[in-house]
Amino acid sequence: TWSTYKAMMVSEERLDSGKKFIDVYREDLKRAEDIYGVPATIIASIIGIETRYGKIKGNIRVLDSLSTLSFDYPRRAKFFKIQLEEFLLLTKEEDLDPSKVKGSIAGAMGFGQFMPDSYRDYAVDFDFDGKRDILNNPVDSIGSVANFLNKKGKWEPNTTVVFRATLNGKRPKLKSSFKPYISVSELKSLGLVPIDKLQSQLKVVPIELKVNQGYEYWLGLKNYQAISRYNRSKLYVMAVYEFSESLAHFF
């Protein structure tokens, strides 16, 4: 349930780690926000949720993970063969030893858990030392997460992620989507009412979350879809948002 997932992801321990990370890298987070338009709170939230600020980056050789998934996991072999190729190109470009790079069981790497193609396409040298190091360099990781959300996610600056909504009537049947597809004026047909006053023609995606005593309802905007490019799970996207709201107290 959302209640269980939220408690696990937005924990006091993670918040404490987030505060320490922000205290050290506040200027870099703000600089990334200024350059890419992605809030510093969202950047810090993703790094915290992905790896607890670098504490849990994965200890499996990426070469082993991607080779196994490429040739012994037929359902997604095509995707992982592409990632294996991207990884080998990456290690050549960045002068890395492919036998020593470690990551997750799926081959994701570094503070922000980038897959090899995302590393090649969106990693940036944010501290200007001549290297794009998201494996060990938190500053490069900050800039890279922001660049990913800006370019691949098409982040909309100065726009929130979600709004709360209430339900009037019986539980609606909602379309599974991350892309906003219904206007605010059309929400009445679903029995959903925004808590905040929104423009009637604004497109949103209704979100239903299971909690202990029923359901919560939210309305996602384009930045909800942007975060989903990182991980296509509504629980993940909502955790990033909720954690970012908690981290805002430390800026």
Side-chain angles (χ1 to χ4, degrees):
T1 66
W2 168 233
S3 304
T4 304
Y5 189 86
K6 180 180 175 181
M8 183 171 61
M9 291 297 180
V10 190
S11 64
E12 288 299 323
E13 179 185 359
R14 207 181 298 259
L15 273 169
D16 184 59
S17 297
K19 181 181 184 302
K20 292 174 182 176
F21 185 82
I22 290 167
D23 285 345
V24 175
Y25 299 106
R26 189 186 312 274
E27 289 185 8
D28 299 299
L29 288 161
K30 285 292 188 182
R31 180 163 59 93
E33 178 176 333
D34 291 341
I35 293 171
Y36 298 107
V38 180
T41 52
I42 293 288
I43 303 167
S45 175
I46 284 179
I47 294 174
I49 284 177
E50 288 290 340
T51 61
R52 295 193 182 186
Y53 302 101
K55 291 179 183 175
I56 307 172
K57 292 185 286 186
N59 59 2
I60 300 171
R61 291 200 320 167
V62 172
L63 187 61
D64 293 340
S65 297
L66 295 178
S67 297
T68 301
L69 291 166
S70 293
F71 300 104
D72 203 24
Y73 185 42
R75 189 169 71 85
R76 298 201 67 196
K78 182 178 179 181
F79 170 78
F80 284 109
K81 282 178 181 176
I82 291 171
Q83 295 304 321
L84 177 58
E85 179 183 8
E86 293 281 338
F87 174 69
L88 294 172
L89 290 169
L90 170 71
T91 55
K92 183 178 181 180
E93 292 165 355
E94 302 296 332
D95 195 25
L96 300 170
D97 184 342
S99 68
K100 293 183 179 179
V101 179
K102 293 185 178 182
S104 77
I105 195 169
M109 299 170 282
F111 280 78
Q113 292 292 277
F114 276 25
M115 292 300 289
D117 61 344
S118 292
Y119 195 138
R120 292 188 72 215
D121 292 343
Y122 303 109
V124 295
D125 175 15
F126 207 54
D127 65 355
F128 313 112
D129 68 351
K131 296 180 181 179
R132 301 189 305 162
D133 179 15
I134 64 171
L135 301 176
N136 303 297
N137 187 330
V139 177
D140 282 359
S141 300
I142 287 168
S144 299
V145 168
N147 187 47
F148 178 96
L149 289 173
N150 173 281
K151 290 189 170 59
K152 186 168 185 177
K154 302 186 186 306
W155 187 273
E156 290 196 341
N158 305 312
T159 305
T160 188
V161 177
V162 290
F163 288 101
R164 284 295 299 266
T166 57
L167 177 64
N168 288 339
K170 62 182 181 180
R171 183 184 169 198
K173 187 174 182 179
L174 301 179
K175 177 181 175 182
S176 178
S177 175
F178 291 98
K179 182 179 179 179
Y181 65 88
I182 187 172
S183 68
V184 170
S185 63
E186 295 171 316
L187 289 174
K188 293 179 183 178
S189 64
L190 300 174
L192 294 174
V193 180
I195 290 179
D196 297 286
K197 187 172 178 59
L198 303 176
Q199 292 181 350
S200 62
Q201 297 307 308
L202 179 67
K203 288 290 182 72
V204 297
V205 51
I207 306 156
E208 180 183 79
L209 300 172
K210 182 76 172 70
V211 293
N212 294 334
Q213 302 299 321
Y215 297 90
E216 280 183 13
Y217 291 93
W218 296 77
L219 305 172
L221 304 184
K222 286 185 178 179
N223 287 339
Y224 175 82
Q225 183 183 13
I227 298 173
S228 79
R229 299 305 300 270
Y230 216 101
N231 185 322
R232 292 185 67 79
S233 159
K234 64 181 179 181
L235 295 181
Y236 176 89
V237 177
M238 290 303 301
V240 168
Y241 169 74
E242 290 281 12
F243 192 44
S244 74
E245 291 290 286
S246 299
L247 291 175
H249 301 295
F250 305 135
F251 280 93

